Structure formats: structure tokens, C-alpha cells
Amino acid sequence: MIDRPATCRPSAKSTDSPQASRAGPRLNKTIAVIEGDDAAPEAVRPVVELLNSLQLGLNWVYPEVGDVAEAKTGSTFPDAARAVIDAADTTLFGSTSGKSGAALGYLRWGKETFANVRPCRYMPGCASPLRQPEGIDFVIVRENLEDLYVGAEGPLEDLAALNLVGRTIRKPVHELGDGRYAIKAITRAGTERVVRFAFDLAARRDGKRKLTCATKHNMLRATDGLFLDVAREIAADYPEIEFESFIVDDFACRMIREPERFDVVVMPNQYGDILSDAAGGLLGSLGLAASGCFGADYAYFEPAHGTAPDIAGRDIINPTATILSATMMLDYLGLDSAAQRIEDALARVYASGAVLTPDQGGSATTTEFCAALARAL
Ligand code: IPM
Ligand code: MG
């Protein structure tokens, strides 16, 4: 049995005793499914089928978004789709290359899912490029709403009225020439809640009981400096969790050289976006990178990878990231023993190595991989 990190919301409670599973469905949770774009649906569909076959009492609803919704309503994210998401207990999201982007925006900013949890745990059999990947088991908690992703960008000349003088370049930024700006916004409240979430996660995991903070506070003194200051303040409330911080570029090097020393790592949005893909690379491919985005009263789950347009329609996308996102979702719904069973079976499929997708050095299709997982279950 593989020890699973507690990646779900700290308040999630188990309701699925083995007896309950034998007794059949009893939960009736509703999951909104947005399959996403390009190759993403090829991973989402068999995962939904697999979960369905376990008879966990899950209802699936499919809000219409993207092209289909646009053709009917003129909008890629009509009110009806929003209502389906709101009424569901959670959402499983494939991945977007644009058309389902408005739905993703709603799931993040509309639902205020501020903590993007991205586990990086090595399973024997994964095609990690590292010589000794054993023992890699950390979780990136990416602040999910702020930072450079508040989406406030524009022409530099718009900043003329502010007459902002750069600290390094020492002249008004609107005089730099023809160019653009982007706003990096870090708030105290936004940082506090994600840092607390990360500490609570570290406290629940049977891990190294450590929280690492990665920021670029030496250059971005006001913004990342605030993030780090807040993290240090909150660390005082968690004396049982070791706290450390690194400048993010140094952290990137350490994450590759000594990934096994990390437990939970919290960071502003953009670094978390970039480094969680890099963490997927440490394991062997983006096809292994799961995620769940948690807010105060909603959470949704999506693989961290993109839509893989280059392999769309070929039935070779690695569904592992979607499977592991789905097991995080089961945890969130209180179905943690079902999640554990699926992860144990997945570990057996990787350990045997007989049926793996091409990104893991195998030649199996997505369908064959999911069939092997179903057999292992
Ligand atoms: C991710 C993706 C998204 C992000 C894109 C699709 C908007 O890269 O979930 O990491 O930047 O957050
Ligand atoms: Mg990303």
C-alpha cells in the first residue's frame, strides 16, 4: 500500500468505509465534468468511466461550454453552464487551450479557488530522468488568483500619469519607449489564506512536516517581500512545522538536485505555474502532474498539463494526471478509501511496466492503459 499525501482540503472527512462500498452507492455527489480541448477529453472520458464503474454514488453532469455552447448561445460560457457548476459538489476539468478558458476563469476567480495543490510524488516505474527519484514526495501549493495573473496589462504610455520611477532602471517607466506593462499584485489577505492552507496541509501529511516558501524577494521587495513576510508571520502559529524559505531560482535548482528534501512548498502564482510543470518533468512527464484548486467553499480538479494538441485524436495521452486529479477529488468528496484503491492499482500498473503510454516509454494507448488500471483494480 502506498501512503498517500493528504492533498485534500483539511476539513474533508472520510465517509466511505469498506462496508459502505460493499453496500453500494450511498453518497450521491454530483460532479460537473468539463472535458476540455484538444486531447484532454481523451483522458477525461475513460477516467469518468472508471470512476463510474466503482459505483460510488456519483452523478455526472456536463455543463455546455466552449464551441458547443457558443454555437447554441453565442457564448463559450453561458449562464446555464455556470448554474450547473454552482449546483454541483465539485468540477472535474480536462484542460483548456482557449475555448473553455472562460469556464476555467470562473472556476478559479469566480469560485475563488485560491490554493492550487500540485503533488509531485514518484511512483516506481515512472520514466523519471533522475538517477534516484525514489523518495520524491512533495506538494506545490500555488497561490492561484493573484500575482501577475490578475490580468492587468497594457501599453507603457498608459502609466504616464503615475510617473512611476523604476528602482533599478531609475527612470519613469513610461519613458522606456514603446512597450507594455503587467501588474504583479500580492495582497496580505490573499497570501495569508494560501500560506495557512499550505501549513494546514503540511500538518496533515505524514511527511517531513516542513513548509518551504519560494519567492524572489531580493528583487521584488514589495510584492514577493510581502508574501515572504506574511509566511514568516504565520509560521509562528505552526511551531510544529519547520519553516524555511529560498529565493525561487535557488529553489528551482534544489528542487532538481534534492527534491526528496521538500514536503509542502508555497509560492506566488507564476512561480507555482512554472515550477509545477518542472516538477512533473522530475517525475517523468507532464502526463503525471495532477492538481486540485481549493477555495473556502468550492474546489475543482484538473490535470496540470495542457491540452496536448500535437497528440489530439491519437488515443495516446497519458491519463495519469487526470486519474490522480480525480483521486484528489474523491478525497475532497470524502471518498478517500476509493481514492486509495485507485492509487494502489495505479502504482501496480506502473510497477509492472507492461502497459504504459508513450511518454513513459511504453506503447500502450490511453484506452489500453485505462483497461490495465481497471484490471488492477
Ligand atoms: C495551469 C495552466 C494554466 C495556468 C493556463 C491554462 C491558464 O498553465 O493550470 O498551470 O497558467 O494556470
Ligand atoms: Mg501551467
Side-chain angles (χ1 to χ4, degrees), residues 118 142 273 277 304:
R118 300 190 153 179
R142 161 188 178 190
D273 185 16
D277 274 32

